[in-house]
Amino acid sequence: MKILMVCLGNICRSPLAEGIMLRKIKAHQLAWEVDSAGTSGWHEGALPDRRSIAVAKAHGIDITDQRSRQFKHIDLDNFDLVLAMDSSNYSNIMRLANTDKQKAKIHLILNFLYPNENRAVPDPYYEGGFEKVYQMLDESCEKVVQSYI
Ligand code: 4NP
């Protein structure tokens, strides 16, 4: 299973999701891969936001090897699951998908926890709430793992 986590900037939410999922992959000894990307290229090459680095570190996860990159069309072929943080990320990715196979890979990550509710992982960039975001991502990543192992 190859999973791509997607948010807007690829500096706050999706780097945390990548770090959390990587730890679960290792814990379960799964031959899975995970990466993350942003629908915008605004922070291309940047480290995760220092607040995401801090909350990950508080939970024993180092995400400082990650660098922001923009989502690209080929990601829809290279990955099996493309997990969006909110409805805006979701529709921006969905707009790029041209086949049913590509479209079927794209999901809101919280729909694994709350099926069909279309809930969003709130953007913490301006409002904060990184610990809450961490908890939402930890629970939803666990559901993703349990759904496919
Ligand atoms: P992310 O958060 O999508 O979770 O990485 C954001 C990061 C940067 C901006 C917005 C959201 N920004 O406006 O630069």
Side-chain angles (χ1 to χ4, degrees), residues 7-15 42-43 123-126:
C7 62
L8 174 61
N10 190 211
I11 56 169
C12 296
R13 292 165 292 177
S14 60
W42 300 338
H43 299 272
D123 183 348
Y125 187 66
Y126 293 109

Side-chain angles (χ1 to χ4, degrees), residues 71-142:
F71 180 86
K72 45 190 192 295
H73 187 259
I74 194 76
D75 289 326
L76 289 168
D77 295 323
N78 289 346
F79 291 87
D80 305 304
L81 267 185
V82 178
L83 302 180
M85 299 296 131
D86 64 34
S87 59
S88 144
N89 315 143
Y90 179 88
S91 44
N92 284 326
I93 306 162
M94 203 46 111
R95 202 176 301 132
L96 295 174
N98 8 62
T99 65
D100 287 346
K101 187 177 179 189
Q102 290 177 336
K103 286 178 187 167
K105 296 176 177 183
I106 307 166
H107 304 272
L108 279 168
I109 191 167
L110 281 184
N111 273 355
F112 279 85
L113 257 191
Y114 309 106
N116 306 312
E117 292 190 19
N118 299 333
R119 295 196 198 187
V121 179
D123 183 348
Y125 187 66
Y126 293 109
E127 306 289 328
F130 283 74
E131 176 60 29
K132 173 77 182 157
V133 165
Y134 179 93
Q135 295 300 337
M136 295 170 103
L137 292 173
D138 189 55
E139 286 179 39
S140 46
C141 285
E142 189 59 34

Side-chain angles (χ1 to χ4, degrees), residues 8 16 20 24 31 38-39 41 55 61 64 68 87 97-98 100 108-109 113 115 118 124 143 149:
L8 174 61
L16 268 180
I20 291 166
K24 292 183 189 294
T39 55
V55 78
I61 299 175
T64 58
S68 177
S87 59
N98 8 62
D100 287 346
L108 279 168
I109 191 167
L113 257 191
N118 299 333
K143 275 283 185 185
I149 61 173

